[in-house]
Amino acid sequence: YITGVASLLAIIERESLTNIRIFDEDARLLLGALPEASIGRVFVLFPDPWPKVRHHKRRFITPESLDALARVMKDGAELRFATDHMGYVRWTLDHAIRHPAFAWLAQRPDDWRRRPSDGFETRYERKATGQGLASVHLGFRRRSRAQAG
């Protein structure tokens, strides 16, 4: 999405940010190149839900991508996932809860009904809200390697 990358570059320049790297390909391609336990937080915000069953293999959250994320995430790191597509919510919960490296952080409904206080609204969330759709914000903690086995 070239317009989005251009907007990001403008923000980086305006804010004089120096700790940002842009990879404008599928993030799964990058995961294999990152060092083990090098990431403190991962955001998967409003990814394409690929709603047709025949396209589910294209979804970002899969057992394989969760394995790759578990490898690059530090013990205790947080994985945040947000979507307005309830089928993708169920899919993500099913995959992440069953993965030994991740623990769901929700303790009460507001933990997934509201964006975290240090989160930010994406344009896709704004669009969903404008259409009267509810968004779900899931948080998962990367278990310690000793605990996850």
Side-chain angles (χ1 to χ4, degrees):
Y1 178 59
I2 195 75
T3 306
V5 172
S7 296
L8 177 59
L9 289 170
I11 292 168
I12 290 168
E13 183 175 345
R14 183 179 69 239
E15 300 292 326
S16 300
L17 301 173
T18 60
N19 64 343
I20 304 228
R21 302 295 177 262
I22 300 171
F23 184 74
D24 66 347
E25 294 291 334
D26 188 323
R28 289 172 289 207
L29 298 173
L30 182 63
L31 291 176
L34 294 172
E36 185 172 333
S38 61
I39 303 293
R41 247 186 335 181
V42 174
F43 296 86
V44 182
L45 305 177
F46 296 85
D48 191 324
W50 296 105
K52 294 179 182 176
V53 172
R54 71 175 186 264
H55 294 151
H56 283 184
K57 63 183 177 261
R58 297 180 183 171
R59 288 180 168 177
F60 184 83
I61 301 296
T62 63
E64 296 78 20
S65 67
L66 289 171
D67 287 345
L69 287 170
R71 186 188 70 77
V72 301
M73 291 173 70
K74 297 175 182 178
D75 290 359
E78 187 176 355
L79 168 61
R80 290 189 182 177
F81 176 88
T83 186
D84 61 330
H85 189 276
M86 295 309 122
Y88 207 176
V89 170
R90 289 186 296 275
W91 170 280
T92 299
L93 281 171
D94 180 52
H95 285 79
I97 287 172
R98 288 194 289 145
H99 197 285
F102 294 99
W104 189 23
L105 296 175
Q107 296 182 8
R108 57 191 167 278
D110 272 357
D111 292 343
W112 52 268
R113 288 182 182 153
R114 297 179 192 268
R115 184 179 343 105
S117 61
D118 64 342
F120 52 91
E121 182 181 51
T122 71
R123 68 186 184 105
Y124 296 105
E125 182 177 5
R126 206 169 18 260
K127 182 178 174 183
T129 301
Q131 294 173 348
L133 299 171
S135 296
V136 172
H137 301 267
L138 304 175
F140 303 92
R141 176 90 46 224
R142 175 31 167 127
R143 290 186 169 109
S144 73
R145 281 157 173 76
Q147 183 183 16

